[in-house]
Each structure stands twice: as structure tokens, then as C-alpha cells.
Amino acid sequence: MSTCSAIVAITGNSVSGSNSLDDVKGSSVVVITAGFPRKPGMSRSDLLKANADIVGPASEAVKKHAPNATVIVVTNPLDVMAYVAWRKTGFPKQRVLGMAGILDSTRFRAFVAMELGIAAPDVQAMVLGGHGDSMVPLPRYTTVGGIPITELMSKERIEALSQRTRDGGAEIVKLLKTGSAYYAPAMSAVEMVQAILRDEKRVIPCSVLLDGEYGMKGLFLGVPVVVGAAGVERVIELSLTAEEQAMLATSGKGVREMIEELALDAVA
Ligand SMILES: NC(=O)c1ccc[n+]([C@@H]2O[C@H](COP(=O)([O-])OP(=O)(O)OC[C@H]3O[C@@H](n4cnc5c(N)ncnc54)[C@H](O)[C@@H]3O)[C@@H](O)[C@H]2O)c1
């Protein structure tokens, strides 16, 4: 997704590239995309450690040079890297967000629109949980012009589209052959930046630090939030069925295990 070796600064209409983290100085929003996509032969654990070693120092530089910034993390594994950024910046939880749910729900929206032969902008979708195989698409909260898709599609088709959403990243990698998705992820990050800079109060699923919401605490996970000038202005707690809540808890467990694997508590 990145267009230069390290840092891209955007001020007004101008875009400049740099190799120095000092150039984030004074930024109001910093998007961290630095890091590796998972490559063949790379274990999940290798990726976790390699990217923590990149996102950690980048976050420390943000703390030093842009102490008032809101940070949007894109690097994978997303929910854990957002946690790393939060710990390393020491910023309040409102000012660290992970970009995932907006992309995953956009993919779900696209698949629903293609299936029904209707306009994608008329589809609203909600995808919660970790950004990975355990993400939780929520058909009950996915609508077409206000109509829940459960009224328009069979259970089997909804499950197939939900699974295609979970596999969306891998589907793109397979088509591209080299590299991972960049267009929709970049647009998703831009929408989040705009929501903050324009104080739009958008409702966007983002990976945020949970503090008891959805029965979880101390980890980043994708949930619907109101995004505005203050960053995460409010977490929206949806009522979930027992099955949905169990899927979300499983997703959270996977994220927590990765956080524990990094043993960040010892170094933060
Ligand atoms: N959250 C999402 O939905 C989502 C979507 C797409 C990609 N991603 C993730 O974003 C990350 C980047 O993906 P990409 O496709 O842009 O990869 P890429 O290889 O094209 O770009 C990575 C960039 O990071 C830079 N970099 C490496 N180490 C650095 C360091 N120490 N300091 C500063 N910059 C450094 C590299 O120079 C390179 O420009 C990956 O972890 C990928 O999995 C996440």
C-alpha cells in the first residue's frame, strides 16, 4: 500500500516522501502501514515479531514527534499491531485505531451487492472481531436499503458470502500473485482519516481497545465506533445472539494469545 520506503507526509495539497520518522513532526493523524505482508514460508509468529519490531519504534517516534496525533494502524496482524502502537505511544485509547472492519465490511457489501444485482452503496454491512479468519460478519445487521439481508437471501448463501469475506484478503493475493491488497485498504484508511479531520462522527467498525465492552478488556478488537475529531468518540454496543457473542469471544481469544506471545507487558 505504501508508495515510498517509509514515510509519506500530506500537508494541504502537497504530498512528500521521506525516510526519516522525524518527518511525522506535528501531524494530527498518522497512518502506520510500515511492515511486511505475510509471505509464503513465513509463520504467523515470524510476522508478528517482525512487524512488532517495526511498528514499535515507529510508534515511539510518533509519541516523540507528534504527541497530539491520532494513530491509525494498518500493519498486520492488525489488532495486535494496534495494541503495540497503543502501548508504545502511551496515547489515550481514543487516539489509537486499527483499520480492518471498514475494509472487511466493504468486501461483504460488495459481495452482497453482486449476489443481488443491486448497487453497493445501498448495502450497509457490519463485520466485527479480529481482522483474520475469525472475523465475525453480522448478517442481522447487514441491510439493503434498510431491509435485513436475512429477508433477501438463504442462510446458505449468506454463509457463503460471509466466508468469502473472511477469505477476501487471500482471494486478492491469489489474483495479484505478488503483494497484497492495496486499493480498498488505502481508501478505507482515507475514509478514517477524513472522519477524524472533518469531525464527521461516522459509524465505522474499527479495531479499538476494549474496556469491558462486549465482555472483553485490555485487547484491541473490531467493533462499531463513532469516529470524529477526538478519534474513537464512542463504542456502540450491539446486542448479540449467544452464537455471535461466542464467535466474537473466540476471535478475541486469538488476538489475546498473540498479544501474550509478544510479551509486551515486560517491555512497554
Ligand atoms: N489492515 C488491513 O486491512 C490491511 C490491508 C492491506 C495490507 N495490510 C498490511 O499492511 C502492511 C503493509 O502492506 P503493504 O502491502 O503496503 O506492504 P509493502 O511491502 O508494499 O510495504 C511495506 C512498506 O513498509 C516499509 N518499511 C519496512 N520496514 C520499515 C521501517 N522499519 N520503518 C518504516 N518503514 C518500513 C517498507 O519500506 C515498505 O515501503 C502489511 O503488514 C500488510 O499485511 C493490512
Side-chain angles (χ1 to χ4, degrees), residues 146-227:
I147 307 160
I149 56 165
T150 45
E151 299 287 316
L152 301 170
M153 275 187 228
S154 69
K155 210 167 172 250
E156 291 69 33
R157 286 311 300 153
I158 291 173
E159 184 41 42
L161 300 186
S162 300
Q163 192 53 43
R164 191 174 175 194
T165 303
R166 289 186 199 100
D167 298 336
E171 184 177 337
I172 304 269
V173 169
K174 224 168 159 183
L175 291 167
L176 285 174
K177 312 277 192 262
T178 55
S180 65
Y182 54 89
Y183 186 79
M187 280 306 297
S188 301
V190 166
E191 275 195 45
M192 289 174 68
V193 172
Q194 280 180 352
I196 294 165
L197 294 181
R198 298 177 180 167
D199 193 18
E200 289 176 333
K201 317 286 188 204
R202 292 273 316 273
V203 176
I204 302 175
C206 300
S207 183
V208 299
L209 184 77
L210 295 181
D211 191 18
E213 297 93 346
Y214 293 93
M216 283 175 265
K217 217 175 160 72
L219 75 160
F220 275 69
L221 203 62
V223 295
V225 299
V226 179
V227 182

Side-chain angles (χ1 to χ4, degrees), residues 47-116:
L47 180 73
L48 182 67
K49 293 197 171 97
N51 282 351
D53 286 344
I54 293 172
V55 171
S59 304
E60 281 163 356
V62 174
K63 176 186 184 169
K64 184 169 171 210
H65 299 293
N68 299 316
T70 298
V71 179
I72 298 172
V73 179
V74 175
T75 311
N76 278 320
L78 190 273
D79 306 275
V80 190
M81 292 305 121
Y83 179 88
V84 170
W86 173 65
R87 290 299 303 261
K88 295 292 181 177
T89 56
F91 286 178
K93 63 180 182 182
Q94 289 80 3
R95 288 202 278 125
V96 182
L97 299 80
M99 187 290 289
I102 184 169
L103 172 65
D104 299 328
S105 58
T106 300
R107 287 181 175 149
F108 197 26
R109 289 171 64 196
F111 299 146
V112 169
M114 282 151 62
E115 175 91 2
L116 294 174

